[in-house]
Amino acid sequence: MKKLILLALPLLLCGSAMIAQEASFGIKGGLNYGATGEYHGPIDVADEVSTNLSEDGENQRGFHVGIFSKFEIVGIFIQPELLYTSINSEYSNFDYKINKLDLPVLAGINVLGPLNIKAGPSFQYILKNELENTSLQIGDVENEISVGYQLGAGLELGRLGIDLRYEGAFQENNAFAEMASENDFTIDSRASQWILSASYSF
């Protein structure tokens, strides 16, 4: 709970500033397309275990939904968001699923008519971290809260908005096998993905 409070604190602080700036608030949601990072460890092939596998996840679709705020100061806008995100990745002999809270805090400028560009850090807090279609068991990630980045462009058409962003990681955030054994493995839980969103401002 303490970590959740720490994660939400920047949003609350920005929200207080936004009220003073007559900011807009809204809801958003959309699709993700990407994958988590590299897997190192065993793989079952014809009931035999090989320990020489190293591979990246295969891109899959996910989704996100949440809220955002936006306020402008001297031509620059700040846009913090709080999102629930589901990510799916496919590896050779299992699927990897993550449910998390994302807190991007982006700075941007309006460049031409309704078009804007934006970039900034994206904090993530892992809620659930699991493997599917395998007997392997996964434990917690190394850091429940980690930082990546987002950058992209958006269109504002009245109260409606459309965003396309890329999200990447500054460093790995590995999840490990639940119990130490001959089947030890690691998976980098930070995702590299494209994010397409639609939003509505109140």
Side-chain angles (χ1 to χ4, degrees), residues 99-117:
N99 297 327
K100 61 176 183 163
L101 291 179
D102 283 324
L103 176 62
V105 183
L106 307 181
I109 57 173
N110 299 311
V111 293
L112 181 63
L115 178 65
N116 62 67
I117 56 175

Side-chain angles (χ1 to χ4, degrees), residues 29-50:
L31 298 176
N32 320 321
Y33 184 72
T36 48
E38 195 168 40
Y39 167 84
H40 295 278
I43 181 172
D44 294 322
V45 180
D47 297 325
E48 295 184 2
V49 175
S50 167

Side-chain angles (χ1 to χ4, degrees), residues 76-127:
I76 299 174
F77 65 82
I78 307 297
Q79 184 171 322
E81 302 172 354
L82 183 59
L83 307 169
Y84 174 84
T85 301
S86 178
I87 295 175
N88 302 292
S89 295
E90 185 176 303
Y91 294 84
S92 292
N93 67 331
F94 60 83
D95 297 324
Y96 183 38
K97 184 173 183 178
I98 289 177
N99 297 327
K100 61 176 183 163
L101 291 179
D102 283 324
L103 176 62
V105 183
L106 307 181
I109 57 173
N110 299 311
V111 293
L112 181 63
L115 178 65
N116 62 67
I117 56 175
K118 64 197 79 175
S122 179
F123 302 87
Q124 76 168 17
Y125 176 79
I126 301 293
L127 298 171

Side-chain angles (χ1 to χ4, degrees), residues 47 49 68 77 106-107 117 123 128 130 143-144 153 157 160 167 172 175 179 191:
D47 297 325
V49 175
F68 71 93
F77 65 82
L106 307 181
I117 56 175
F123 302 87
K128 192 174 183 180
E130 63 181 357
N143 300 301
E144 288 184 326
L157 307 171
L160 297 177
E167 180 181 74
E172 294 183 354
M179 297 179 63

Side-chain angles (χ1 to χ4, degrees), residues 107-197:
I109 57 173
N110 299 311
V111 293
L112 181 63
L115 178 65
N116 62 67
I117 56 175
K118 64 197 79 175
S122 179
F123 302 87
Q124 76 168 17
Y125 176 79
I126 301 293
L127 298 171
K128 192 174 183 180
N129 167 55
E130 63 181 357
L131 301 180
E132 298 178 342
N133 304 318
T134 181
S135 60
L136 297 174
Q137 298 293 316
I138 196 167
D140 294 333
V141 294
E142 187 174 9
N143 300 301
E144 288 184 326
I145 297 177
S146 60
V147 185
Y149 64 89
Q150 291 186 7
L151 52 90
L155 288 173
E156 290 189 0
L157 307 171
R159 292 183 179 272
L160 297 177
I162 300 173
D163 262 4
L164 179 62
R165 303 178 192 169
Y166 176 77
E167 180 181 74
F170 291 120
Q171 61 184 17
E172 294 183 354
N173 185 25
N174 287 319
F176 302 91
E178 188 171 45
M179 297 179 63
S181 69
E182 70 275 8
N183 292 336
D184 283 354
F185 65 86
T186 63
I187 305 177
D188 179 13
S189 67
R190 283 294 322 195
S192 298
Q193 60 180 343
W194 290 96
I195 303 169
L196 179 63
S197 305

